[in-house]
Amino acid sequence: MSSYGMTIIEHLLMKQQQIPFATGAFSRLMSELVVAAKLISREVNKAGLVDIYGFTGEINVYGEQVQKLDEYAHKTIIRRLRHTGVLCAIISEESADIMEIPEPFSRGPYILVMDPLDGSSNIDVNISIGTIFSVYRRKEEGGPVTLDEVLQKGSEQVAAGYFIYGSSTMMVYTTGQGVHGFTLYPSIGEFLLSHENIQIPKRGKIFSVNEGNYNYWDENVREYVDYLKTPEAGDGRPYTSRYVGSLVSDFHRNLLKGGIFMYPADSKDPKKPHGKLRLLCEASPLAFVVEKAGGYASNGKKPILDIKPNNIHERVPLYIGSVEDVKMAEKFLRGER
Ligand code: AHG
Ligand code: MN
Ligand code: MN
């Protein structure tokens, strides 16, 4: 029986009922995250009419200029979730260190990791952007949250997903049993199930990479991308190139249609020897989603989900999407061709 049109809250409660001894803590976390996303979506959709464009004048831990909407999204999620009593800490792309849930708020077993606004460079030009989130369970029963509790492998995630603020606002998430998409109906303010049990095609015909970095890539990466442009690659036709510049948007398109997104190591660019994307806030959550949808995510050599972060803001090369495409990329990167 299809659950098409089910609200996200109903979906969470249905999943909760299937888990023995579930306390409802996870459902609480997710329902507040949904409220935060609705607030962010509203600001995104009226950006340009109010002074939410542009920069705050601050620089984040990556040395990047912080956009007002980055900060708005970051603060909104923190404000909504810190009173839920189910979190002990938040890790954000926009904060250098672990943000422990402070007194007087009560704490719980979950750690939220987030990229509050992904694709910031696209805010001012009306191209879709997103929010990426990931949930881990802490290892200790109580006390201060340690770095070791935060630096967990992606395979240890309890849940992961993203919101995409595009032609419509969608939420895609997984708790490990299937990947499900919900579309926001602004007139009723509800996310309704629109994409149940998403499965990414085993192989696609789309490649997504910023070719402006071509001269910074290793030879094997260049050979792979050159191969994709030959008729042999796509059984008689070259692959199609699509690159939005918002990871969530490029990822979401490939999740539904198949294909590969790449952000390779820029070995000749001292600023990006391991590429640009963050392991904890971007690569691991999307790797969890894509693998639960039948796809695969790699750093070019090994599964993203097997990589234990060395630090909160570690960057990692990312090859993610249809399993056959990502495996082919790994073969080229091993020099096997
Ligand atoms: P963020 O806005 O969170 O910093 O992420 C931007 C990322 C990602 O969304 C996108 O895939 C990538 O930056 C684009 O980088 P380039 O402009 O270097 O291609
Ligand atoms: Mn990002
Ligand atoms: Mn961001």
Side-chain angles (χ1 to χ4, degrees), residues 90-154:
I90 296 176
I91 299 291
S92 169
E93 180 192 278
E94 300 303 336
S95 67
D97 303 307
I98 302 174
M99 290 182 284
E100 292 215 47
I101 301 300
E103 300 294 337
F105 302 108
S106 54
R107 294 158 48 116
Y110 293 120
I111 296 167
L112 174 74
V113 179
M114 66 175 179
D115 176 357
L117 201 91
D118 172 68
S120 310
S121 60
N122 284 325
I123 292 170
D124 296 5
V125 293
N126 204 13
I127 292 175
S128 53
I129 51 185
T131 296
I132 304 171
F133 63 89
S134 167
V135 181
Y136 292 87
R137 185 181 289 278
R138 77 171 307 184
K139 294 175 179 171
E140 309 300 335
E141 279 309 307
V145 178
T146 63
L147 198 55
D148 183 54
E149 290 185 278
V150 164
L151 300 180
Q152 297 186 43
K153 285 183 186 176

Side-chain angles (χ1 to χ4, degrees), residues 34-265:
V34 162
V35 174
K38 289 178 188 174
L39 290 164
I40 297 165
S41 174
R42 186 190 59 179
E43 288 308 299
V44 168
N45 292 331
K46 68 182 187 187
L49 298 175
V50 295
D51 182 23
I52 194 83
Y53 270 153
F55 299 103
T56 61
E58 282 138 55
I59 301 291
N60 70 13
V61 66
Y62 300 95
E64 297 158 341
Q65 290 196 324
V66 178
Q67 300 247 20
K68 288 178 184 168
L69 214 49
D70 282 322
E71 192 168 84
Y72 175 81
H74 172 81
K75 286 182 174 164
T76 300
I77 295 171
I78 291 169
R79 247 184 250 124
R80 291 301 317 184
L81 273 83
R82 66 184 172 191
H83 72 264
T84 55
V86 298
L87 284 182
C88 56
I90 296 176
I91 299 291
S92 169
E93 180 192 278
E94 300 303 336
S95 67
D97 303 307
I98 302 174
M99 290 182 284
E100 292 215 47
I101 301 300
E103 300 294 337
F105 302 108
S106 54
R107 294 158 48 116
Y110 293 120
I111 296 167
L112 174 74
V113 179
M114 66 175 179
D115 176 357
L117 201 91
D118 172 68
S120 310
S121 60
N122 284 325
I123 292 170
D124 296 5
V125 293
N126 204 13
I127 292 175
S128 53
I129 51 185
T131 296
I132 304 171
F133 63 89
S134 167
V135 181
Y136 292 87
R137 185 181 289 278
R138 77 171 307 184
K139 294 175 179 171
E140 309 300 335
E141 279 309 307
V145 178
T146 63
L147 198 55
D148 183 54
E149 290 185 278
V150 164
L151 300 180
Q152 297 186 43
K153 285 183 186 176
S155 53
E156 297 176 73
Q157 289 174 90
V158 169
Y162 56 89
F163 295 92
I164 179 168
Y165 313 108
S167 44
S168 63
T169 292
M170 272 194 73
M171 170 183 169
V172 174
Y173 91 109
T174 181
T175 55
Q177 285 81 33
V179 175
H180 309 289
F182 298 77
T183 300
L184 178 64
Y185 281 61
S187 52
I188 58 171
E190 287 287 358
F191 280 97
L192 301 184
L193 185 62
S194 51
H195 298 69
E196 191 169 21
N197 229 352
I198 298 171
Q199 287 291 309
I200 185 171
K202 290 298 169 215
R203 191 163 150 231
K205 293 198 172 11
I206 294 171
F207 76 96
S208 188
V209 68
N210 180 347
E211 293 199 66
N213 299 323
Y214 185 88
N215 291 319
Y216 289 117
W217 300 337
D218 294 344
E219 179 55 31
N220 289 336
V221 178
R222 288 203 293 267
E223 275 189 25
Y224 175 58
V225 174
D226 292 343
Y227 162 74
L228 292 176
K229 297 177 183 176
T230 64
E232 179 201 347
D235 304 331
R237 279 189 53 75
Y239 274 45
T240 295
S241 171
R242 289 284 183 276
Y243 193 73
V244 175
S246 290
L247 172 59
V248 170
S249 310
D250 283 315
F251 175 82
H252 183 70
R253 179 203 52 245
N254 291 0
L255 181 72
L256 299 183
K257 295 192 167 184
I260 182 169
F261 172 92
M262 297 168 258
Y263 207 108

